[in-house]
Amino acid sequence: MYQAPLPKEYADLSPEEADARIEAAKRTLGNRLVILGHHYQRDGIIKHADYRGDSYKLAKDANLCPDAEFIVFCGVHFMAESADILTPDHQHVILPNMAAGCSMADMASLFQVRNCWKQIEEVLGANGPRVVPVTYINSAANLKAFVGERGGTVCTSTNAPTAVKWALEQGEKVLFFPDQHLGRNTGVKLGYDPDKDMIVWDPFQPYGGNSPERIREATFILWKGHCSVHKRFTVEQIEEARQTHPGVTVLVHPECPLEVVEAADLNGSTEYIIKQVEASPPGSVWAIGTEINLVSRLANENPDKTIFCLDPQVCPCSTMYRIHPSFLAWTLENLVAGNVVNEVIVPPKVKYFAKMALDRMLTVCA
Ligand code: 13P
Ligand code: SF4
């Protein structure tokens, strides 16, 4: 997505000036505006958010303010698209920086997934077993539409086991994209064998790099995508944390590789991570395997607990980080001036089927 450079006036704002201008614009816009913030946003953004949440909560919360004219989504592009799909047309969904994408979502394109589907159909034959497509919410709207049109569903890290279990009640196989790790971790949670029951589909290889026999045998066809933030966590880091902090609880996001999830004590979405830490008694020690803005905020908001990131070198999600307070100030002041900038609009035909897939998730996983 292209984002024009910020006008110099905004690029040069000090943090204090940006805060003051954001708050002034919020006061002027009043109930016409709602700001949503994903847990990976920096503190300088989160403090202005009316609602914070994980992908699942924000998808539901988008509907919480039916009277708001502007939903400013401080997160990444696929989240803003989902909000646009789930809200009525009179509400404008705005992403303060259009370059805030998700590198994992970019690992699967509609062209590649269509091509994969065609090859799977060719191998399985017209009367073969039914494949149900499941897309992680971290995907473009046109992939959600692909799934909706073919009777599949969306899932998030909160509800992946429920969504995939449902998919396997509708058919014999699941094509899960774009995150192989969430797909594999979910399959294992449901009792499947990662070696025997799962194959990885590499979109750059014929048949995804698999033999036709393996495609016929596998229950899970996992897209070869990953999150570059969560891929950094390792079993060695967990062993190190256990050595240096006896009694530590290791809690990771299910976008981490299977061996990391298995070596951890707990795993779950960002909302789950927050709830676990907040519910723990004072003095608890937590090693967390997820994005650093969230881990640092948890540490600051729970000073009676020891909370640290499993990977001492971990950097923020670079795309989430593109939502800078200066962009938020620019967006809001434009709205005050009557200019709707950076609106995320999903085309009606895509919206129709993508909504079908998102609604299925919201119903199946309610
Ligand atoms: P959550 O749904 O857990 O917030 O995860 C979103 C995400 O992008 C994790 O990398
Ligand atoms: Fe995408 Fe990973 Fe960033 Fe989440 S943390 S938005 S999956 S790149």
Side-chain angles (χ1 to χ4, degrees):
M1 281 310 142
Y2 175 70
Q3 175 65 56
L6 269 184
K8 192 166 164 22
E9 176 198 347
Y10 290 95
D12 290 348
L13 285 179
S14 70
E16 295 73 25
E17 287 166 337
D19 277 350
R21 289 173 69 160
I22 291 167
E23 284 306 315
K26 275 186 78 174
R27 278 193 299 278
T28 309
L29 291 164
N31 293 339
R32 296 173 67 206
L33 168 74
V34 62
I35 301 183
L36 305 182
H38 185 268
H39 293 308
Y40 290 164
Q41 291 290 300
R42 58 176 96 205
D43 286 346
I45 293 291
I46 282 293
K47 66 180 169 193
H48 300 297
D50 299 301
Y51 297 93
R52 309 182 195 180
D54 65 0
S55 315
Y56 182 61
K57 188 162 177 283
L58 292 177
K60 289 194 306 174
D61 284 359
N63 269 320
L64 279 181
C65 301
D67 299 330
E69 211 176 314
F70 309 115
I71 299 174
V72 173
F73 209 118
C74 297
V76 287
H77 194 264
F78 72 81
M79 297 180 178
E81 280 187 330
S82 298
D84 182 51
I85 294 163
L86 291 168
T87 50
D89 287 346
H90 70 268
Q91 294 190 294
H92 304 275
V93 176
I94 291 148
L95 184 66
N97 182 344
M98 285 301 211
C102 163
S103 54
M104 177 209 281
D106 292 343
M107 289 177 194
S109 70
L110 181 60
F111 175 78
Q112 289 173 319
V113 173
R114 274 195 182 137
N115 197 19
C116 160
W117 191 255
K118 211 168 112 211
Q119 291 179 65
I120 294 173
E121 278 183 338
E122 182 197 310
V123 170
L124 298 181
N127 300 318
R130 178 166 179 225
V131 184
V132 180
V134 177
T135 186
Y136 189 22
I137 197 162
N138 296 34
S139 56
N142 57 13
L143 288 178
K144 294 185 177 82
F146 175 94
V147 158
E149 201 172 353
R150 287 161 185 79
T153 185
V154 175
C155 76
T156 70
S157 54
T158 299
N159 58 32
T162 313
V164 170
K165 189 167 174 287
W166 171 86
L168 286 170
E169 285 158 9
Q170 317 307 306
E172 285 81 37
K173 292 172 186 284
V174 163
L175 170 63
F176 190 98
F177 47 89
D179 184 16
Q180 60 169 303
H181 300 295
L182 181 66
R184 189 176 295 109
N185 290 325
T186 303
V188 170
K189 277 181 196 162
L190 294 175
Y192 290 88
D193 182 325
D195 297 320
K196 194 169 126 297
D197 301 324
M198 304 182 197
I199 56 172
V200 174
W201 188 278
D202 178 347
F204 298 102
Q205 304 272 344
Y207 294 131
N210 303 284
S211 65
E213 293 70 38
R214 283 297 289 139
I215 295 173
R216 280 191 281 269
E217 279 165 12
T219 306
F220 286 77
I221 302 166
L222 307 173
W223 196 263
K224 195 177 178 191
H226 64 266
C227 164
S228 40
V229 174
H230 290 93
K231 212 179 78 163
R232 291 183 55 90
F233 297 109
T234 63
V235 174
E236 291 70 38
Q237 291 162 357
I238 296 182
E239 286 165 356
E240 166 90 16
R242 294 201 194 281
Q243 264 180 13
T244 50
H245 295 81
V248 68
T249 306
V250 179
L251 171 50
V252 302
H253 195 280
E255 286 175 12
C256 293
L258 175 64
E259 66 272 15
V260 172
V261 166
E262 287 185 330
D265 299 299
L266 300 166
N267 70 87
S269 74
T270 53
E271 195 73 20
Y272 174 86
I273 292 173
I274 294 168
K275 284 193 178 132
Q276 292 300 312
V277 171
E278 285 179 347
S280 67
S284 307
V285 185
W286 292 91
I288 315 267
T290 199
E291 203 266 356
I292 193 68
N293 276 306
L294 172 55
V295 182
S296 306
R297 189 173 313 118
L298 274 172
N300 292 336
E301 291 180 352
N302 294 271
D304 56 343
K305 297 163 199 172
T306 304
I307 297 163
F308 60 95
C309 186
L310 261 184
D311 177 6
Q313 314 295 331
V314 85
C315 36
C317 166
S318 57
T319 47
M320 285 271 180
Y321 210 58
R322 290 182 184 158
I323 307 290
H324 187 277
S326 300
F327 274 103
L328 184 56
W330 169 76
T331 304
L332 298 185
E333 290 189 349
N334 265 288
L335 293 180
V336 170
N339 306 321
V340 179
V341 289
N342 284 14
E343 184 168 8
V344 173
I345 304 175
V346 177
K349 188 163 174 251
V350 174
K351 209 176 215 179
Y352 178 81
F353 285 114
K355 186 167 181 329
M356 210 176 259
L358 279 163
D359 282 345
R360 227 169 251 146
M361 170 187 81
L362 294 170
T363 309
V364 169
C365 306

